[in-house]
Amino acid sequence: MATILSFKLLSLFMIASITQSQIFDVHGMKICKHAYPKHYEVSHTNIEPFHVMKKRSVDQPLRILLKYDDSVYRLDQETFLLINNTILPEAVQFWEKALYVRRVDKVIRLTRKCEDTQIFVKGNVTYCISKCKEKTTCGEVEVPNEHLDACRVCNAAGKDCHVLENSDQGEGVQDADFVFYISAIQTERCNKPSTVAYAAHCQQESSLDRPIAGHANLCPYNISTKKQDFEILLSTVKHEMLHALGFSMSLFAFYRDSNGIPYTPRNEDTGKPVLNENLQTYQWSDKVIKRFERKNWLVKSGFVPRHVDMMVTPNVVREVREYFNCPELEGAELENQGEDGTVLTHWEKRVFENEAMTGAHTQNPIISRITLALMEDTGWYKANYSQASEMKWGKGLGCDFVMKSCKEWISMKADRGMSIHPFCNKVKRDPLQTECTDDRSSVALCNLIRYPNILPKSYQNFDQIKYVESGEEGYYGGSVSLADYCPYIQEFTWKAKDVIVRGSHCRFTENNPKPEKNFALEKYGNESLCFEHSDHMWEESSCKQIRQWQHWGSGCYGYRCENGRLHILVGNYTYRCYHANQEIHIKIIRNEWLHKGAIVCPPCREICAAQFNARGESCKIGDEPPPANFYPRDELKCAGSRVKMNVTLT
Ligand SMILES: *[C@@H]1O[C@H](CO)[C@@H](O)[C@H](O)[C@H]1NC(C)=O
Ligand SMILES: *[C@@H]1O[C@H](CO)[C@@H](O)[C@H](O)[C@H]1NC(C)=O
Ligand SMILES: *[C@@H]1O[C@H](CO)[C@@H](O)[C@H](O)[C@H]1NC(C)=O
Ligand SMILES: *[C@@H]1O[C@H](CO)[C@@H](O)[C@H](O)[C@H]1NC(C)=O
Ligand SMILES: *[C@@H]1O[C@H](CO)[C@@H](O)[C@H](O)[C@H]1NC(C)=O
Ligand SMILES: *[C@@H]1O[C@H](CO)[C@@H](O)[C@H](O)[C@H]1NC(C)=O
Ligand SMILES: *[C@@H]1O[C@H](CO)[C@@H](O)[C@H](O)[C@H]1NC(C)=O
């Protein structure tokens, strides 16, 4: 009887069947491949003379004009409304508030493209040989005639340059500093896995080289209108816009210092930096990106040499040094992995995990001060740093964290008995033990997984792993390869039969477990955070049965900061925390089951400092908690013995 009951209950209470490949298949894992425009795809446009533009101060809020291609209007209603009324306005407003430019006083008229690959530039005006292209495109979008300059041509010898007869200049774009052409076409690139949108600039103004026009294509079949995906979609669009505004391999060579002097020397004939034939774009100098050797990069096999490419412009250097608390840090490390379009055009994932300008979205994306500093270092923008979000990943962890391998960091910390966060070393196993991300936004797991093939030596980060057979360590690494295979705590999704049941981000009510499966009485919602459980399993008892859940570790709960203390909300009760690491024992009856478990109080400061500061209050110092009977405790009143059983997640 007991076995049958157990079997039945097992299937009944199985929340999800999770395997390693499923659980880390986070919906947010989107890798950005920014197909940077090749030099011949970008035109320079003459708007105002150098001396006029240069002396204007960089103090006017950026004005972005959106122009839709017809394809946008063909999106289904729901997607169109999401894009038109929420995503695009929010993304545009974000950058308009975050960045200031030298205002453009004249109208913008874009340069027409030429039939011929050869062009002439005279007095910063571009001329085609004999004729211009019928259509000038920016990305997938045809630029409307109203936005175009007249067709200007010379003869094949570069003489007799004039405006072609019957060619008129358009009205131009008024009161804008950047024109963004938006399309929604299911292009070839959209069919590549994990592509939702992509963007790039297409024209730069000729006096200071600032990009003034760009395009973004949103892949219509890959846009999810689900609420849980909103944050990632918005962040993706902001991220892509930034590639067009300045963070691009095609623009590094055009960056200027605060006096408007180019960081990269110009070729006297062309006025442009030298071309890198290989990349088909202009080669930047090492005042922008510089390569450094890390002679002693520790991996499983010992020390290996490794080079790192660093963004070394002044504002970025100041920000990263301060952020990581490492005064000798050379700059901000750029991504060294991934294909063209991922490598070098993003921040290194190992170092900047959830910064939105890393090459892959994993969780909780934010735009940090460091990205805004880079925008200032283009020489085209000033930033309003109050628009930056606070980053927590690796903050203040010092030079060991940013300048050494994660293997060395993990070993060093573990040897001293210290936390190895933000990295981790736990392989998923039964019983499943979850943790909280460092920012407490999400219930999380260590993303250490077994790869089918042994990892390259330079990415083998473990000598030994608990519960992994010796000799097998080389197959294990973090599921995010761009992070140099360093494993870290990450949010995940619960899946059953390959269908996503729910996510683990505390903020979304959609992630609430079904009442009959909510053994730890979690509550997901916009005001919830992740709190750790004690070391014991949660237990549910009815008058007939006791069930133990073979899965615990952390959960999402509401909280309040009141009277100088943190309060955690579980079920309908409020539990006051008196000191850090206090274990609060929970006994609550819900739906005729008594739920028993414990939650660990984090330090008051960590959760409440900001709220208290804003209200002129502060966290009281830790104090002895009152006896257990001070807290609410439900009791189950029933007679007779009960069947005890374990509920496992397989
Ligand atoms: C699209 O957005 C624009 C600007 O925000 C707005 O004026 C317009 O009404 C929107 N269109 C629809 C159909 O909602
Ligand atoms: C063209 O632009 C460069 C800077 O990009 C400037 O030095 C030069 O004076 C400009 N020439 C003319 C004729 O405006
Ligand atoms: C995007 O949509 C295309 C076409 O429906 C599909 O083949 C592709 O797998 C989708 N990619 C993602 C990441 O959803
Ligand atoms: C920067 O942004 C904040 C918040 O939006 C705003 O209050 C402040 O006025 C802005 N600063 C400047 C100089 O515009
Ligand atoms: C949470 O949602 C409620 C209701 O939707 C709203 O009133 C409240 O301001 C939100 N709180 C935060 C912190 O966003
Ligand atoms: C407890 O909360 C539930 C919803 O979570 C509500 O339906 C119920 O009325 C509450 N009970 C008490 C005693 O407040
Ligand atoms: C439940 O699991 C624990 C170990 O996690 C084990 O010691 C115990 O015997 C199990 N109980 C039953 C009834 O299977």
Side-chain angles (χ1 to χ4, degrees), residues 44 46 48-51 121-125 205-209 256 260 262 266 270-272:
H44 268 70
N46 194 25
E48 286 170 276
F50 178 75
H51 65 273
V121 179
K122 291 179 189 250
N124 293 336
V125 176
E205 58 85 28
S206 51
S207 49
L208 292 168
D209 310 304
R256 288 167 184 262
R266 300 297 170 93
T270 63
K272 303 263 171 65

Side-chain angles (χ1 to χ4, degrees), residues 30 186 190-196 221-222:
K30 308 207 184 306
Q186 193 69 21
C190 288
N191 294 328
K192 293 205 175 143
S194 75
T195 302
V196 177
Y221 300 138
N222 302 105

Side-chain angles (χ1 to χ4, degrees), residues 60 71 123 145 261 298 300 381 428 492 514 579 601 604:
Q60 295 300 308
S71 56
N145 272 324
I261 312 292
L298 188 63
K300 181 170 188 281
Y381 308 101
K428 187 187 85 73
F492 57 91
K514 293 219 176 87
H579 63 80
C601 292
C604 173

Side-chain angles (χ1 to χ4, degrees), residues 370-610:
I370 297 163
T371 292
L372 295 187
L374 177 70
M375 287 298 100
E376 291 203 339
D377 285 337
T378 60
W380 305 314
Y381 308 101
K382 282 260 182 291
N384 182 343
Y385 285 96
S386 63
Q387 293 297 317
S389 301
E390 201 194 338
M391 189 154 81
K392 295 206 170 147
W393 173 268
K395 184 170 183 173
L397 293 185
C399 298
D400 287 343
F401 177 75
V402 262
M403 297 178 72
K404 292 188 168 152
S405 73
C406 63
K407 155 115 175 63
E408 191 162 359
W409 169 262
I410 291 172
S411 311
M412 265 169 36
K413 292 284 161 178
D415 287 351
R416 293 182 208 153
M418 293 163 79
S419 160
I420 63 170
H421 276 201
F423 299 120
C424 60
N425 55 6
K426 277 191 201 142
V427 184
K428 187 187 85 73
R429 58 188 288 275
D430 284 327
L432 183 67
Q433 213 180 339
T434 57
E435 306 184 47
C436 294
T437 51
D438 281 355
D439 63 5
R440 295 193 183 272
S441 63
S442 181
V443 169
L445 284 169
C446 183
N447 65 12
L448 181 59
I449 57 164
R450 190 194 157 92
Y451 280 86
N453 299 310
I454 196 155
L455 298 177
K457 274 212 165 76
S458 53
Y459 295 126
Q460 293 183 16
N461 292 314
F462 288 97
D463 297 330
Q464 66 214 25
I465 304 169
K466 210 170 168 187
Y467 306 113
V468 169
E469 223 174 285
S470 164
E472 295 281 289
E473 299 86 1
Y475 290 89
Y476 284 82
S479 63
V480 180
S481 58
L482 289 185
D484 296 346
Y485 294 92
C486 294
Y488 61 89
I489 324 262
Q490 202 191 333
E491 55 176 88
F492 57 91
T493 49
W494 297 95
K495 283 187 166 184
K497 299 200 185 77
D498 243 13
V499 176
I500 294 178
V501 178
R502 61 188 188 93
S504 69
H505 200 97
C506 292
R507 193 131 49 86
F508 304 124
T509 50
E510 293 83 354
N511 292 340
N512 270 306
K514 293 219 176 87
E516 70 272 19
K517 290 168 183 169
N518 192 4
F519 60 92
L521 301 172
E522 286 182 90
K523 182 159 186 269
Y524 290 72
N526 67 349
E527 284 166 1
S528 291
L529 287 180
C530 180
F531 296 97
E532 273 95 11
H533 295 155
S534 73
D535 262 350
H536 301 286
M537 277 179 214
W538 281 71
E539 198 176 88
E540 281 183 300
S541 347
S542 71
C543 280
K544 298 203 180 90
Q545 262 182 22
I546 297 176
R547 306 197 293 232
Q548 281 190 325
W549 289 77
Q550 299 287 296
H551 142 65
W552 80 102
S554 60
C556 295
Y557 300 93
Y559 70 97
R560 278 201 206 108
C561 297
E562 275 168 5
N563 303 321
R565 301 256 183 233
L566 166 67
H567 299 73
I568 303 177
L569 314 181
V570 187
N572 295 0
Y573 295 127
T574 302
Y575 297 85
R576 179 178 299 175
C577 285
Y578 285 85
H579 63 80
N581 297 324
Q582 178 189 346
E583 279 190 19
I584 298 214
H585 293 272
I586 310 288
K587 282 177 85 175
I588 295 178
I589 293 180
R590 188 185 282 178
N591 303 333
E592 286 153 38
W593 287 88
L594 176 68
H595 300 251
K596 231 172 93 186
I599 296 179
V600 180
C601 292
C604 173
R605 265 175 298 110
E606 185 192 329
I607 313 286
C608 295

